[in-house]
Amino acid sequence: MLSFAALALPPSARAEGERLAPHTKLRVSVVQWVPSKGEYQRWEAVGGDFTVAANGTISLPLVGALNVSELDGAELGAKIAEQIKARTGLINTPDATVEILEYPPIYMVGSITTPGEYKFRPGMTVLQALALSGGRFRAAQDGGGKGEIGLLGELQNLRDEILRTVGRVARLQAERAGAAEITFPTELTSHEKEKTAAEVMAQERVIFEARRNGLQRQLDNLAELQTLFTAEIGVLDKKTEMLDSRLKTVGEELAGVKSLVERGIATVSRRSELEFAVANLQSNRLDEVTAVMRARQNLSEAQRNALSLRDRHQTEVSTELQDAQANLERLKIKEDVAKKVLIISDIPSSGEKRDENAVEPELSFTIVRQGQDKTEEFTASESTALMPGDVVKVAITAPPPKKQVTGSSTVGAVQ
């Protein structure tokens, strides 16, 4: 039955060797053979659809967080099964399968017809991705400078998006450092009089103030709680001291009365009253001690919540900053490629025809691959295999100059 189930899975689920990149969508299924029923029992609570986080982890019920950045689907399934067995104390290891529903896309930029995001499939090469994006960029044959105008518009959009991302990065850096205000780079301040740059800086300042004030309000509330719990502990300590003093006095009086009772001077009822009073005071003292312990526990919890709030804020800001910096790098790459395409596109004027004997320019490929710790950039060929999340930069290499055939050489060739 297991063999049949494995054959029934789609090719993406059976592909081995493909590491699970961030943003990969997975479907986890866990089953266990039940001999008493003679059938497989599905663990619905553990299975389901999951997405690999940006840090290369997934979080499953019962199993918890798992680092999957160095695993493929089969290895992850085996690891999940072992974790379930260890946590539940099962004798036999359950069967866990991981089906890859969707890989992270690849991105095509540069001198191509349709730059953008494309669906990845295992085994995809640079040439196949180039075909999906429409092949090499070719300027329009008619319509005058439409191709050039389009490139100029794209460059302007890229420039505006870069300014927005630069402002976001500056704001996140200020949040992470706990600064009182944002220090914008010269890339923005040098264009402060321009509408886009001014709007970006104004919007980021508003967001910065709102987020900082929100965090400060939560921290202030926790600080007030700590102050209240500290004051409560002080009051309870004083009440305990008063009870100790009262208990000492009544205890001394009880000792004296016991001596008088033994000599027949005092009554037994008086001794009983004092013993009852001592018991009540001791009970009250225990209540106060318990209240102090509870208040100290609440104080510790408020302090932990404040630290957790700061840590969570730092983690969120760091993650957003990492994503913004990666996006800024991609935008600058696209801007650089668009500039080069504009320079070498050689768009003809209206009514002008291209040389039919012109040599087709060659293409060069560069892959930008985001690793676990760093971004890798390397030269590729048409047959280079791609990985999920790759950015493929396509550049046009200027064609070699055409050889000039002189009249004498032509005559010689005919002879």
Side-chain angles (χ1 to χ4, degrees), residues 93-336:
T93 305
D95 297 309
T97 58
V98 176
E99 177 185 353
I100 300 177
L101 301 178
E102 184 178 335
Y103 288 95
I106 60 168
Y107 304 89
M108 299 293 295
V109 298
S111 304
I112 52 178
T113 302
T114 313
E117 173 184 305
Y118 292 92
K119 189 174 181 180
F120 173 83
R121 63 176 181 273
M124 177 180 285
T125 64
V126 171
L127 183 59
Q128 292 171 337
L130 179 64
L132 287 176
S133 60
R136 177 178 70 84
F137 172 79
R138 299 175 185 273
Q141 294 291 331
D142 51 342
K146 290 182 180 178
E148 186 175 2
I149 293 173
L151 282 174
L152 290 173
E154 181 183 353
L155 274 174
Q156 183 61 44
N157 290 335
L158 285 171
R159 179 180 174 277
D160 293 345
E161 189 63 27
I162 286 174
L163 289 178
R164 293 188 183 93
T165 309
V166 167
R168 185 165 182 248
V169 168
R171 187 251 301 169
L172 291 170
Q173 287 175 337
E175 285 189 41
R176 187 175 64 176
E181 59 181 16
I182 306 174
T183 303
F184 292 105
T186 54
E187 194 170 354
L188 265 175
T189 55
S190 60
H191 302 86
E192 191 170 3
K193 294 183 179 180
E194 297 182 12
K195 182 179 179 181
T196 302
E199 288 179 352
V200 167
M201 289 189 286
Q203 291 171 357
E204 294 300 335
R205 288 191 180 102
V206 170
I207 296 173
F208 176 77
E209 289 297 329
R211 286 170 63 114
R212 188 181 67 168
N213 293 338
L215 176 63
Q216 191 59 48
R217 280 195 298 270
Q218 295 179 3
L219 291 173
D220 289 343
N221 290 337
L222 291 172
E224 289 178 5
L225 278 176
Q226 295 178 42
T227 303
L228 290 174
F229 289 135
T230 302
E232 182 182 0
I233 291 171
V235 172
L236 292 172
D237 286 339
K238 289 182 179 179
K239 290 179 68 176
T240 303
E241 291 176 2
M242 293 174 64
L243 285 172
D244 288 339
S245 177
R246 177 62 178 161
L247 188 59
K248 181 179 179 182
T249 302
V250 176
E252 292 174 351
E253 185 177 356
L254 176 60
V257 169
K258 284 182 178 180
S259 176
L260 295 175
V261 169
E262 291 175 355
R263 289 182 290 173
I265 300 175
T267 62
V268 176
S269 61
R270 177 57 181 165
R271 183 185 64 184
S272 299
E273 290 177 0
L274 290 174
E275 289 175 345
F276 182 73
V278 169
N280 282 337
L281 288 172
Q282 290 176 338
S283 176
N284 292 338
R285 187 181 185 283
L286 288 175
D287 291 340
E288 296 302 325
V289 171
T290 303
V292 169
M293 294 174 63
R294 189 179 297 110
R296 291 187 187 279
Q297 182 181 4
N298 292 335
L299 176 61
S300 298
E301 184 178 359
Q303 292 171 342
R304 287 195 302 271
N305 289 339
L307 293 174
S308 177
L309 180 63
R310 292 182 184 274
D311 292 341
R312 186 166 61 251
H313 178 72
Q314 283 292 321
T315 301
E316 291 174 357
V317 169
S318 297
T319 302
E320 291 180 17
L321 179 59
Q322 185 179 11
D323 293 341
Q325 289 173 333
N327 186 45
L328 179 60
E329 184 65 24
R330 286 194 292 267
L331 289 171
K332 288 184 176 180
I333 291 172
K334 290 178 68 175
E335 181 190 35
D336 183 60

Side-chain angles (χ1 to χ4, degrees), residues 6 25 35 57 87 101 129 143 200 210 237 261 275 343 369 383 394 399:
K25 295 182 180 179
T57 63
R87 288 180 178 262
L101 301 178
V200 167
D237 286 339
V261 169
E275 289 175 345
I343 293 172
R369 182 168 295 167
S383 60
V394 183

